[in-house]
Amino acid sequence: MSAQAKATYAPKRRLFGADARVAFLYLIPAFAVMAIITFYPLVYQVWMSFTNFGPANLNVRRPAPLDWVWFGNYVKILTNDISGIPNYDFIRIVSFNLFWAFSNVIIHLILGVAIALLLNQKGLLGRSFYRAVFVLPVVIPPIIVATVWHNMFDQSNGAVNFLIAIIGRQPPGSVNIAWLTDPGNPIPFFPLLPLSYFALLAANVWLGWPLNAVVATGALQSIPKDLYEAVEMDGGGAWTKFRYVTLPFLRPAMLPYAIYGFVITFNLFYLSFIMTNGGPFGRTELLVTQAYRLVNQQQLYGVAAAFSVIMFFILLTLTIITNRLTKATASYVD
Amino acid sequence: MSTDNWDAAEDTSPIAHPAIARTSPQSVAMMRRRRLLRGIGRQALLQALCIFVAITVLFPIVYVFGVALDPRNIARPDGLNLIPPNPSLDAFSRAIAKPSPNNISFLNLALNSLQLAAATSLVSVAFGVSAAYAFSRLKFKLRSFLMIAVLAVLMLPAVATIAPLFVLLNGIRFGDFVLRNSIPGVALALISGALPFAIWNLKGYLDTIPKDLEEAAAIDGCTRNQAFIYVILPLAMPALAVTAFLGFVAGWTDFYFSWMFLDHPQNFTLTMALYQMVGQYASTTPWNVLSAFAILVSLPVSVVYLIFQRWIIGGLAIGGVKG
């Protein structure tokens, strides 16, 4: 990004005289607002994270004295010593959160590219109709998606169990899978994933692949047709075309999008919060939903601030790793 | 997909093709029929795949409309009733008449959501565009430092700033008025994330506007401000509209700030009422009313998104998004 910014920016000569003073005037409205409501709260957050800020400290007229606890909140978070949150396990939350984001993004990518290829087939009838239908999940707000899928996975009245009953030729109501609350492990040797993970996965795959398909379609349309003809002339088949023409063109377009999708999925609040409410036993809790619960339900403002600081460093690490990966694998176009 | 000689010959005229021209008329007819059959088979396979995908996409949408339009007014669906006979809009009128056990009307909920959405959208775009212009076109000290500061904020999810925003806005009081416990307070919390996003998104678009246009304006005697107002702003209109819309969606669909900050039911928003229907009031809320309410909340943004999706998704591909 910085290379691109430099390229578009570096002026050959000054057009309108001194930039610096003008720049100040153009920046001041936004940065004055952000200084107060964006940057100051972030600094305040770091300060809060070293205190035991709680509901008693909210009283403005007679604030309770604030204790400086140094790294006490951080130690509590990392050693699973937070009172009031049942089933809290920091390592499990981070592992589940990472697995959640990776598994989703990989499925989104594969489905997105596969369906974009399907829609790109020569002579497909009704192409624009399918394009219009397939983009529908993108336009529905995630909180609505989470609400609807929450009901669809309901144990006794949910559409998913009704559908399974119809497919199995059973009367409605005979299938009673507790998708969102069953405490068992569907994969016995991998106890990280309860059944509700798969319900969340189904909802998020529904929600996530269409945007990948849109991005992949754009990339597919930019591939020069004569490259495919060249492969045909050399006697190459469909796989050769995909491997040596389609894939090298898709990768530079899809990789930044995959990273963006990873961050979005990593921080996806609504599905976990509304569909499973973090359950069963907190096993589908994500870092964002746990951070929210610390503030909203436990009112542990100091601990929540420390939790957010830890989250920031996890995201920073992930961003640095993914940036390295992008650079290491970028070769074709860059 | 097979790519043997028959497919390769598809685009060229059969008469001109040497392989076909040399064969007897009888076998040409046979080959044509075989090619036609293969084309039909391939089309049928493609259609089957596309229809399957379309069914999976449409299933939840048809389902929620089916539940909302069911005329029987039952608390819970008793089976998969995707297209109910004699559909009725009764659930919609019930959702509008009494959306919440709290003493607040649908209109008030919608107006509160609308205020949040409008404030987030207008403030973030109005303040964001001039900063984006500075980042895109001007050279100044601290430029990369400030840009990294904006990007670092974007990396952090909005939920992660909720504790300090709650505490700080809670401290701002005028008599009985607590800024935290008000629509303007929630709007400020939303703008704290929407403004850096607007700057980043708009800068990405301004970078794509050629500099020649400003150079031409400069030669014609424009000042920097005139070039910005009369040349750049009109050209950036699509990006401004998209960014404003995304800010609107952020405000309209906000849940966690409103739910955390607002105590008085007369300040509640549509998404808060929706969450109550699956949360604390889940046992007393009929699913047809819930489904109708979900459709009503989603409809304004979904319809606009659907109509302008080409521009919105294109705008997203240039910028980036905060989740």
Side-chain angles (χ1 to χ4, degrees):
Chain A
M1 164 265 137
S2 63
Q4 181 212 351
K6 265 179 210 145
T8 51
Y9 157 66
K12 274 169 277 173
R13 63 197 161 81
R14 292 283 168 80
L15 286 176
F16 299 99
D19 274 356
R21 205 179 320 141
V22 186
F24 179 74
L25 292 174
Y26 274 82
L27 289 172
I28 201 74
F31 274 84
V33 171
M34 282 201 294
I36 299 168
I37 61 173
T38 308
F39 296 120
Y40 177 60
L42 288 175
V43 175
Y44 190 77
Q45 165 137 295
V46 177
W47 177 80
M48 264 172 79
S49 74
F50 295 110
T51 70
N52 69 342
F53 205 109
N57 305 99
L58 282 177
N59 191 325
V60 179
R61 291 192 187 83
R62 272 174 285 106
L66 202 57
D67 282 337
W68 187 259
V69 294
W70 291 105
F71 285 91
N73 292 329
Y74 293 88
V75 173
K76 275 185 185 172
I77 290 166
L78 298 173
T79 57
N80 306 331
D81 185 26
I82 302 176
S83 56
I85 300 187
N87 310 304
Y88 169 78
D89 180 347
F90 183 75
I91 297 297
R92 193 206 56 222
I93 294 175
V94 174
S95 317
F96 178 78
N97 208 153
L98 283 170
F99 188 86
W100 160 252
F102 271 116
S103 54
N104 272 291
V105 167
I106 289 169
I107 297 173
H108 291 174
L109 263 182
I110 293 173
L111 277 180
V113 169
I115 293 167
L117 284 170
L118 176 65
L119 284 179
N120 214 36
Q121 289 299 313
K122 216 192 289 174
L124 174 71
L125 296 173
R127 191 195 313 268
S128 42
F129 168 76
Y130 290 123
R131 284 221 172 109
V133 170
F134 292 178
V135 87
L136 282 173
V138 178
V139 309
I140 301 169
I143 186 170
I144 306 290
V145 173
T147 310
V148 171
W149 283 84
H150 168 83
N151 281 8
M152 283 179 36
F153 276 112
D154 189 78
Q155 185 175 358
S156 37
N157 304 94
V160 174
N161 281 346
F162 286 146
L163 187 67
I164 294 173
I166 289 171
I167 292 169
R169 296 179 178 281
Q170 305 287 320
S174 60
V175 176
N176 268 296
I177 304 170
W179 290 99
L180 302 178
T181 51
D182 190 302
N185 300 321
I187 308 175
F189 55 87
F190 202 45
L192 190 65
L193 307 177
L195 194 57
S196 56
Y197 160 80
F198 296 94
L200 289 172
L201 187 69
N204 198 37
V205 165
W206 182 85
L207 186 64
W209 71 258
L211 212 47
N212 280 269
V214 171
V215 176
T217 303
L220 285 177
Q221 283 164 351
S222 73
I223 302 176
K225 292 278 176 293
D226 46 348
L227 288 178
Y228 288 117
E229 284 162 20
V231 175
E232 272 173 25
M233 258 178 236
D234 293 345
W239 171 249
T240 319
K241 283 186 194 170
F242 178 74
R243 174 69 188 78
Y244 293 100
V245 182
T246 313
L247 217 51
F249 269 90
L250 276 180
R251 204 177 53 186
M254 295 310 286
L255 207 59
Y257 189 74
I259 291 169
Y260 155 71
F262 180 86
V263 174
I264 293 290
T265 313
F266 192 86
N267 294 328
L268 200 69
F269 179 83
Y270 288 114
L271 290 185
S272 170
F273 193 80
I274 290 180
M275 270 179 75
T276 65
N277 202 15
F281 302 109
R283 286 168 66 192
T284 54
E285 207 75 80
L286 302 177
L287 287 166
V288 275
T289 55
Q290 190 63 72
Y292 191 71
R293 272 179 226 288
L294 284 170
V295 182
N296 191 42
Q297 288 164 12
Q298 267 71 35
Q299 297 193 293
L300 297 168
Y301 302 104
V303 180
F307 199 86
S308 294
V309 172
I310 293 175
M311 241 169 90
F312 176 80
F313 281 107
I314 293 174
L315 283 165
L316 187 69
T317 315
L318 287 173
T319 312
I320 291 169
I321 293 172
T322 47
N323 269 343
R324 285 269 164 79
L325 281 179
T326 325
K327 277 186 190 138
T329 54
S331 59
Y332 192 81
V333 164
D334 296 329
Chain B
M1 194 178 95
S2 89
T3 44
D4 57 12
N5 292 333
W6 300 117
D7 277 12
E10 208 168 61
D11 288 339
T12 53
S13 156
I15 317 292
H17 200 284
I20 293 171
R22 255 185 269 120
T23 49
S24 70
Q26 214 178 353
S27 65
V28 168
M30 237 176 73
M31 284 168 198
R32 275 198 185 142
R33 195 174 335 132
R34 266 169 61 186
R35 198 195 303 165
L36 186 71
L37 283 175
R38 178 172 293 170
I40 291 172
R42 180 170 165 276
Q43 186 67 248
L45 179 68
L46 291 178
Q47 290 297 329
L49 287 170
C50 281
I51 288 168
F52 175 75
V53 177
I55 287 172
T56 64
V57 167
L58 288 172
F59 181 76
I61 299 168
V62 173
Y63 164 78
V64 75
F65 275 95
V67 175
L69 293 171
D70 196 318
R72 289 174 298 163
N73 194 18
I74 45 176
R76 298 279 185 272
D78 55 358
L80 204 53
N81 209 6
L82 291 180
I83 300 162
N86 309 316
S88 112
L89 291 173
D90 185 46
F92 286 89
S93 53
R94 292 211 295 150
I96 291 172
K98 192 152 179 62
S100 150
N102 295 313
N103 190 20
I104 179 161
S105 70
F106 185 87
L107 186 67
N108 276 337
L109 288 171
L111 281 177
N112 289 338
S113 289
L114 189 66
Q115 285 175 40
L116 277 184
T120 311
S121 164
L122 290 177
V123 174
S124 60
V125 169
F127 287 60
V129 69
S130 74
Y133 180 75
F135 280 124
S136 174
R137 291 294 199 274
L138 301 172
K139 190 177 196 168
F140 50 93
K141 274 184 199 168
L142 297 176
R143 183 180 170 281
S144 40
F145 171 78
L146 291 177
M147 199 66 223
I148 287 169
V150 170
L151 285 177
V153 174
L154 282 181
M155 211 178 66
L156 205 60
V159 175
T161 56
I162 208 162
L165 281 169
F166 182 90
V167 169
L168 290 171
L169 292 170
N170 192 58
I172 301 176
R173 289 154 190 254
F174 308 99
D176 284 341
F177 175 82
V178 183
L179 186 57
R180 182 266 304 170
N181 191 8
S182 72
I183 296 284
V186 179
L188 282 176
L190 286 166
I191 291 164
S192 100
L195 181 53
F197 168 68
I199 294 175
W200 171 237
N201 201 35
L202 289 170
K203 180 201 170 281
Y205 189 83
L206 295 185
D207 282 347
T208 66
I209 298 176
K211 285 182 75 78
D212 313 8
L213 297 164
E214 281 157 290
E215 280 169 23
I219 290 162
D220 290 346
C222 267
T223 64
R224 168 70 75 186
N225 292 336
Q226 285 170 329
F228 172 64
I229 293 168
Y230 297 114
V231 178
I232 297 296
L233 280 188
L235 287 170
M237 222 28 113
L240 291 175
V242 167
T243 312
F245 174 71
L246 293 174
F248 189 92
V249 174
W252 184 261
T253 64
D254 168 67
F255 164 74
Y256 32 76
F257 283 119
S258 328
W259 185 254
M260 178 74 210
F261 286 11
L262 301 172
D263 299 334
H264 300 314
Q266 70 268 24
N267 287 333
F268 281 8
T269 63
L270 288 170
T271 49
M272 290 171 75
L274 181 71
Y275 181 66
Q276 287 181 318
M277 289 183 177
V278 285
Q280 64 195 105
Y281 304 129
S283 55
T284 52
T285 308
W287 281 17
N288 56 352
V289 174
L290 167 64
S291 300
F293 191 74
I295 292 167
L296 289 171
V297 176
S298 167
L299 218 50
V301 293
S302 294
V303 167
V304 175
Y305 209 139
L306 201 57
I307 295 170
F308 297 106
Q309 42 123 334
R310 182 183 294 250
W311 292 272
I312 294 165
I313 295 171
L316 282 179
I318 292 170
V321 148
K322 188 177 173 75

